[in-house]
Amino acid sequence: MTNWQDFSNRNMKKENTTFVGADGKLSLIDLTIPESFSGKLVVFIHGFMGFKDWGAWNLVQDYFLSLGFGFCKYNVSHNGCSTEDGVNFIDLVAFGKNNYSNEKADLSCALDWISEQLKPLPEIYVIGHSRGGGIVLLSHEDSRIKKVVTWAAISDVERRFPKGDELEKWKKEGVRIQKNGRTNQEMPMYYSLYEDFIENKEVLNIQKAAESISKPLLLIHGNDDTSVAITEGEELSKWSGVPLQIISGANHTFGSSHPWKELDLPPKLKEVCKLTAEFFLSSRL
């Protein structure tokens, strides 16, 4: 049994270093191991139009570090940010080329990078927010992952796509525009996103993943979520047989917004962190 008090990587702090993600694309990653390290490492995956330093995610990191967890968060490789600028969507070509397979590959690549940094490898627990929640469910078979948590996760990839005439228009034009409500940018989404889904439909089946997961799973969703309806959380609960933890009055980001200038976590997000930490600290493996 590893004596984590003697762990040589205690007090490690790597911020805005890079890892090689999907298609060999470099992306930013943070890894912090506290002095009080317990041997448990949390890996956090952001959602659509997100990034690792969005909103209060840094305060989420601080919360888990204070409890002795290590913490890793990264930008998915094709989220539209760059290695020089990790918080602004300056690479819209990369954003347009993103797909769910890329993001699934990114998690595996991030775990590869962690495996190179930390020996022996700690127990790895993953948290995925929104689209990231779908990604952690799709990745649950990775043997390095010991526990899985979703925050306001999507339950289905296909329903994210247009249908009928709108789908045909997307196919014909090759690109459709998604308005970013925060930045007012027009974000391109190439038809290759849909083609990748069709090609990898079985691999990207979140229902199938939820039905087959055997690892400890925690599902959390706010009942005032207008971005990913709570019915999607209810679907994940039904398929996995795991009760849905409902945060009353919470929106999609549990009260956080970007930029987050407060020194403390939003109360609803702190409630989510507390539930998650209790799940991670429980003896279930």
Side-chain angles (χ1 to χ4, degrees):
M1 186 174 181
T2 302
N3 182 358
W4 295 104
Q5 292 301 312
D6 298 330
F7 188 52
S8 62
N9 292 116
R10 287 164 68 209
N11 287 324
M12 171 188 282
K13 189 169 187 177
K14 296 192 174 188
E15 291 184 337
N16 291 321
T17 188
T18 60
F19 76 105
V20 181
D23 290 337
K25 193 173 187 305
L26 288 176
S27 194
L28 295 178
I29 192 167
D30 300 338
L31 174 62
T32 305
I33 304 295
E35 171 68 26
S36 58
F37 186 49
S38 63
K40 303 174 188 294
L41 176 68
V42 177
V43 179
F44 179 84
I45 300 94
H46 66 76
F48 181 56
M49 290 196 194
F51 41 91
K52 66 180 179 62
D53 298 316
W54 185 92
W57 297 153
N58 286 315
L59 294 178
V60 168
Q61 171 182 271
D62 293 345
Y63 179 92
F64 284 94
L65 291 174
S66 73
L67 297 176
F69 293 94
F71 202 92
C72 177
K73 54 186 171 63
Y74 63 89
N75 282 356
V76 301
S77 61
H78 291 69
N79 74 330
C81 298
S82 72
T83 54
E84 291 76 30
D85 186 340
V87 299
N88 292 297
F89 300 124
I90 62 173
D91 190 351
L92 296 184
V93 172
F95 181 91
K97 291 181 178 178
N98 197 18
N99 57 52
Y100 290 85
S101 295
N102 280 348
E103 296 196 13
K104 189 171 183 294
D106 284 334
L107 176 52
S108 181
C109 290
L111 295 179
D112 290 344
W113 181 86
I114 292 167
S115 299
E116 294 170 0
Q117 310 302 312
L118 303 178
K119 299 183 186 305
L121 192 65
E123 287 184 7
I124 292 178
Y125 306 152
V126 292
I127 301 171
H129 175 250
S130 192
R131 186 148 119 179
I135 296 302
V136 297
L137 286 168
L138 293 171
S139 304
H140 76 84
E141 291 181 340
D142 190 306
S143 62
R144 294 169 292 190
I145 296 172
K146 304 306 179 186
K147 293 186 178 184
V148 177
V149 175
T150 69
W151 292 358
I154 64 170
S155 64
D156 186 273
V157 173
E158 189 167 15
R159 71 175 58 138
R160 261 75 224 165
F161 299 121
K163 294 177 174 60
D165 291 344
E166 194 176 347
L167 181 60
E168 285 302 311
K169 181 182 178 184
W170 189 18
K171 181 178 181 180
K172 180 180 178 181
E173 296 181 354
V175 63
R176 66 193 300 258
I177 300 299
Q178 177 81 41
K179 186 75 173 285
N180 186 317
R182 179 178 63 85
T183 67
N184 289 320
Q185 288 173 280
E186 294 188 340
M187 313 289 284
M189 298 171 68
Y190 300 146
Y191 186 70
S192 56
L193 169 63
Y194 184 71
E195 291 177 319
D196 175 78
F197 168 71
I198 295 300
E199 185 177 339
N200 299 286
K201 202 167 185 177
E202 281 303 303
V203 178
L204 299 176
N205 187 326
I206 297 175
Q207 178 177 348
K208 181 180 176 182
E211 288 174 340
S212 64
I213 190 169
S214 58
K215 294 174 181 177
L217 171 65
L218 178 65
L219 305 169
I220 301 177
H221 217 110
N223 65 354
D224 281 349
D225 191 333
T226 58
S227 297
V228 177
I230 194 171
T231 52
E232 299 206 41
E234 291 167 348
E235 287 177 331
L236 294 175
S237 175
K238 176 183 176 183
W239 298 332
S240 65
V242 172
L244 179 65
Q245 302 298 312
I246 299 172
I247 308 300
S248 180
N251 65 7
H252 186 56
T253 56
F254 305 100
S256 181
S257 57
H258 188 81
W260 185 256
K261 297 182 180 180
E262 304 295 326
L263 298 178
D264 298 316
L265 284 164
K268 299 297 183 185
L269 184 54
K270 188 171 184 179
E271 184 179 347
V272 169
C273 288
K274 185 173 183 292
L275 280 171
T276 303
E278 289 172 351
F279 172 71
F280 287 156
L281 290 168
S282 70
S283 59
R284 287 182 60 208
L285 272 176

